[in-house]
Amino acid sequence: MTGELSPIDKAKFVAAKRSVDYVEDGMRVGLGTGSTAAWMVRCLGEMVRNDGLRIKGVPTSTRTAELAREVGIEVISLDEAKWLDVTIDGADEFDGNLNLIKGGGGALLQEKIVATASDQMIVIADVGKEVESLGSFPLPVEVIPFGWQTTKSLVEELLISMDVLGRDTTLRMNGERPFITDEGNYIIDLHLGRIGNPHQLSMAMNQMPGVVENGLFLDICDVVILGFGDGRVETRDINEGTVEEDRLDFVETDNLFTDMND
């Protein structure tokens, strides 16, 4: 129930709740990964069950696919959809130009593919995700397992010539074993502190053999919906140049707030 939610979870919920207003009957919708995106999937499921909303969802991870099926959303692949009307996803960080760092949950590759195959990308986040410059959150870089230590060394060498504050890198672990993405790859997290030129860094890394993709989502996001713990919502549309503020009332719905273990 909403009365049991922390302020941060309330902020995530109201952002997610506002984002589903962008979804219309018959749409093909990219479904993001992470705790905030899980709220959005739950909200869409409630609209499918209670309002007869007909959509097809393209999930960005296996766990999002499982949740979408649980709540009654029809799940299809991106190959089946070919193109999407909208993708709604969370972010680990975003700046004033709506550039993002994503991949804290390890799904950055599918997330970026789905987001760029959409007419519109909407990011839902709590206010704590906004930063002046990207880089406070570790930047994930997905690499193939073969020769990953060599790839890691090459990334570290590249960082010497980049405008970043720090250059520490770590292999993401899952207990005592490397974390494995849905595509069977590893993730190297870059602890940079500040990224002075995200476009330069992204382009240079993605030209490196062994690197599959990085977590910089640049010039992809169209709208950021910010949630606050008191129910306020701020919607920033970079294409329209608008900022709108609203407040959502919490409505306690047993089906929506049970089993939220993300």
Side-chain angles (χ1 to χ4, degrees), residues 20 25 53 58 64 73 127 159 170 175 195 233 235 248-249:
V20 299
D25 202 54
L53 178 71
V58 175
T64 295
I73 297 172
V127 68
L159 292 177
T170 55
I195 303 172
V233 180
T235 303
L248 296 184
D249 292 327

Side-chain angles (χ1 to χ4, degrees), residues 20-197:
V20 299
D21 291 343
Y22 285 80
V23 178
E24 300 176 2
D25 202 54
M27 278 189 168
R28 294 156 297 179
V29 183
L31 305 175
T33 295
S35 57
T36 311
W39 285 115
M40 175 270 300
V41 174
R42 290 263 178 168
C43 290
L44 284 177
E46 188 177 50
M47 293 168 67
V48 168
R49 295 190 306 272
N50 298 343
D51 305 329
L53 178 71
R54 295 169 300 170
I55 59 171
K56 295 182 178 181
V58 175
T60 55
S61 66
T62 53
R63 61 187 180 276
T64 295
E66 291 169 359
L67 176 59
R69 291 188 180 100
E70 272 182 34
V71 300
I73 297 172
E74 180 182 353
V75 171
I76 62 173
S77 69
L78 183 57
D79 287 333
E80 291 174 290
K82 294 185 173 59
W83 195 259
L84 305 177
D85 297 288
V86 64
T87 288
I88 306 175
D89 205 347
D92 298 303
E93 276 187 354
F94 74 93
D95 65 14
N97 295 316
L98 305 196
N99 290 318
L100 323 167
I101 286 182
K102 289 181 51 56
L108 65 103
L109 179 56
Q110 287 190 23
E111 288 174 335
K112 189 174 282 192
I113 292 172
V114 169
T116 54
S118 305
D119 287 336
Q120 188 175 39
M121 183 192 188
I122 297 171
V123 163
I124 47 180
D126 60 87
V127 68
K129 300 296 173 62
E130 183 173 9
V131 296
E132 188 171 331
S133 298
L134 296 178
S136 296
F137 191 90
L139 174 64
V141 180
E142 187 160 340
V143 303
I144 65 170
F146 176 80
W148 72 267
Q149 293 186 59
T150 299
T151 304
K152 180 173 178 287
S153 296
L154 289 171
V155 169
E156 291 168 347
E157 185 176 338
L158 171 68
L159 292 177
I160 295 173
S161 62
M162 293 290 116
D163 182 9
V164 295
L165 189 61
R167 297 197 296 269
D168 291 338
T169 66
T170 55
L171 177 68
R172 187 177 299 185
M173 303 296 289
N174 182 15
E176 296 182 357
R177 297 177 180 273
F179 175 88
I180 305 294
T181 70
D182 280 353
E183 290 74 33
N185 296 318
Y186 292 172
I187 287 181
I188 298 171
D189 288 311
L190 312 186
H191 304 267
L192 306 178
R194 179 189 57 81
I195 303 172
N197 191 331

